[in-house]
C-alpha cells in the first residue's frame, strides 16, 4: 500500500487511485523567463521520484508538467511587472524567444538529472489559451466572476470553502493588505481570471477574448491544462509549498466552481531549498543553477542524490560543504558499481521489499539511501545478488546505476600474459599452477577472481 502525505488533509493517507492501476499527476512546472534555480529543480526531482515510485509499483503513470510561458505578474496579487516581459527587456529579445530559450534550457536540465522527458506531457500555457477562455466563460455562466477596470475577477466569497485548503486567515490578510492592493476588488483574496492589456502600453503576448484583448490570470492555465490532459478530477497535484496559499488555492476554487466536481484527491508539496538568504529565488539576481554545479565539476546525479538524502517535506539549507559530502558518498556508490558489476545476479527480495516499503511510505528516500549502504556492508548477501539489488535501488531513485560501465582496468602486457597463462592452466585443471599465477598477478597489484564470465581483474 502506498501512503502519501496530503496537504489538503494535513495527514498521511493510503493512496487509492481513481482508476485501478492508473495514476494521473499534474506538477506545476517552470516559468520560462529565466533559468531554473536549484530550488526549482528540487521540485522537478521530487515529481520525478514520485513518478518512478509509481512506475516501480506497476502503475500506468500519466504525468503533466506545464510550461508557464505566458507572462504573469511579479506579485501574487496580480499586480506589478510581467515576468516574461521583464525577462525580454533584460536580454533585449522578444518574449517568444525568451520562452523558447528557457524552455530548452529547462529540458536540458531535466536530461542531466535523468528525468525521462518521453514519459511526461509538457503542455505550454500559450498553446491552451482557448481552453483557458472556455473555463473563464464557464465560471461567468456559473456566476462566480465580476468585471473591474483591469480585468475579470473570481469572487472568492462565493466559494465557501475557499480558505480551507491553506487554512487562510482572511481577516488577517485583510488587515495586512498592502497599499498597492487593487481597491476595486470585492474581497482581498479575489484573483484575476483574465487581465486586460493596458491601454498605454503594447504587450508582446496578448489574445482576443469575449471580454476584450488581454491575457490569462496565473492560475487558470493549470486548471485548463490539467482538465485537458487529465480530466476534471484527477489523482495527484504537486508543486512547491509556496504554491499552497495562492496558486493552488485559486486553482481549486476555479476548477471546482467551473466543473462542479472535486478537482484533486492528493496534494503533495515539496519544501524549499534555501540559500544563505532563505528560500532560493530568482528575484535575488545571482542564483545557483545546474550549470553553476557543472562548472564547478559536480555530477548532476550527485546533486539528485544530495536532495534525496533529505525527505521532500523538509527544508534543505544548501551549502557546497554538504553537497561535497554527498558527492563523496555518491562517488563511492559509483565506484562500487564499477568494481562489482555482475551480469547474472538476482535481486534480493528482503532488501527489495524493505526498500519499497520505505519508498511507499510517503517517499522515504533518506531511509532508502541508508538501506543501500546497509546492503553494501552486509556480508551475508552474495556479490552478484548485492550488485543486482543496488542497481535496482539506484535506478528506482533515478540515479541510473544500470548505465554505469564496468571499470576497464589498465594493465601491463606482463599481467595480460600472466592472465592468459592462468586461463590455460585452469583449462588444463592445473590448479597449483593457476594459484601460483594468481599470486604473481597479486604481486603486480591486481586481484583476480574466477566468475561465470571468466577471470575478472580488480585493483587491490
Ligand atoms: P517557477 O519557475 O518559479 O514557476 O517554479 C517552479 C517550481 O519550483 C514550483 O513548483 C515552485 O513551487 C518551486 N520552487 C520555487 N522556489 C523553490 C525553492 N527555493 N525550493 C524548492 N522549490 C521551489
Ligand atoms: Zn500551477
Amino acid at each position: 500500500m502506498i501512503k502519501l502525505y496530503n496537504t489538503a488533509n494535513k495527514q498521511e493517507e493510503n493512496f487509492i487511485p481513481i482508476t485501478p492501476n492508473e495514476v494521473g499527476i499534474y506538477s506545476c512546472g517552470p516559468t520560462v523567463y529565466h533559468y531554473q534555480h536549484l530550488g526549482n529543480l528540487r521540485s522537478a526531482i521530487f515529481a520525478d521520484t514520485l513518478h518512478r515510485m509509481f512506475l516501480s509499483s506497476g502503475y500506468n503513470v500519466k504525468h503533466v508538467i506545464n510550461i508557464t510561458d505566458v507572462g504573469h505578474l511579479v506579485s501574487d496579487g496580480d499586480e506589478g511587472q510581467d515576468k516574461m516581459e521583464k525577462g525580454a527587456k533584460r536580454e533585449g529579445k522578444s518574449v517568444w524567444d525568451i520562452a523558447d530559450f528557457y524552455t530548452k534550457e529547462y529540458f536540458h536540465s531535466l536530461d542531466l538529472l535523468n528525468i525521462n522527458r518521453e514519459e511526461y506531457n509538457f503542455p505550454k500555457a500559450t498553446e491552451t489559451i482557448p481552453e483557458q477562455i472556455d473555463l473563464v466563460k464557464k465560471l461567468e455562466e456559473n456566476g462566480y466572476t465580476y468585471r473591474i477596470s483591469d480585468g475579470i475577477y473570481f469572487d472568492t466569497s462565493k466559494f465557501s470553502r475557499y480558505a480551507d485548503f491553506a487554512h487562510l486567515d482572511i481577516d488577517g490578510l485583510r488587515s495586512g493588505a498592502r497599499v498597492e492592493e487593487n481597491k476595486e476588488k470585492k474581497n482581498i483574496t479575489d484573483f484575476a481570471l483574465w487581465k486586460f492589456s493596458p491601454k498605454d502600453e503594447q504587450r508582446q503576448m496578448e489574445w482576443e477574448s469575449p471580454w476584450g484583448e488581454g491575457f490569462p490570470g496565473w492560475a487558470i492555465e493549470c486548471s485548463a491544462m490539467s482538465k485537458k490532459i487529465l480530466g476534471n478530477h484527477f489523482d495527484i497535484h504537486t508543486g512547491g509549498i509556496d504554491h499552497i496559499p495562492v496558486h493552488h488555492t485559486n486553482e481549486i476554487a476555479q476548477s471546482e466552481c467551473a466543473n462542479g466536481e472535486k478537482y484533486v484527491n492528493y496534494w503533495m508539496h515539496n519544501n524549499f531549498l534555501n540559500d544563505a538568504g532563505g528560500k532560493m529565488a530568482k528575484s535575488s539576481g545571482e542564483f545557483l543553477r545546474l550549470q553553476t554545479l557543472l562548472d564547478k565539476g559536480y555530477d548532476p546525479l550527485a546533486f539528485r542524490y544530495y536532495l534525496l538524502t533529505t525527505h521532500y517535506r523538509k527544508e534543505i539549507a544548501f551549502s557546497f560543504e554538504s553537497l561535497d559530502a554527498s558527492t563523496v558518498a555518491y562517488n563511492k556508490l559509483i565506484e562500487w558499481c564499477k568494481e562489482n558489476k555482475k551480469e547474472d545476479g538476482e535481486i534480493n527480495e528482503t532488501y527489495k521489499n524493505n526498500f519499497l516499503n520505505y519508498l511507499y511510505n510517503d517517499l522515504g528516500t533518506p531511509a532508502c539511501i541508508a538501506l543501500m549502504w546497509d546492503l553494501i556492508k552486509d556480508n551475508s548477501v552474495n556479490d552478484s545478488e548485492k550488485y543486482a539489488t543496488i542497481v535496482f535501488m539506484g535506478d528506482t531513485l533515478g540515479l541510473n546505476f544500470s548505465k554505469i560501465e564496468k571499470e576497464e582496468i589498465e594493465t601491463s602486457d606482463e599481467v595480460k600474459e600472466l592472465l592468459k597463462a592462468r586461463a590455460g592452466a585452469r583449462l588444463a585443471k592445473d590448479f597449483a599452477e593457476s594459484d601460483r599465477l594468481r599470486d604473481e598477478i597479486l604481486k603486480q597489484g591486481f586481484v583476480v577472481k574466477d566468475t561465470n564470465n571468466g577471470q575478472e581483474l580488480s585493483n587491490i
Side-chain angles (χ1 to χ4, degrees), residues 20 159 165 250 342 349 362 414 416:
F159 182 53
F165 178 66
N250 292 352
K342 309 267 180 316
E349 282 299 312
D362 196 31
E414 195 181 346
K416 281 185 194 135

Side-chain angles (χ1 to χ4, degrees), residues 70-82:
V70 174
H72 295 296
L73 305 177
V74 184
S75 90
D76 275 344
D78 300 311
E79 301 294 319
Q81 210 182 350
D82 175 298

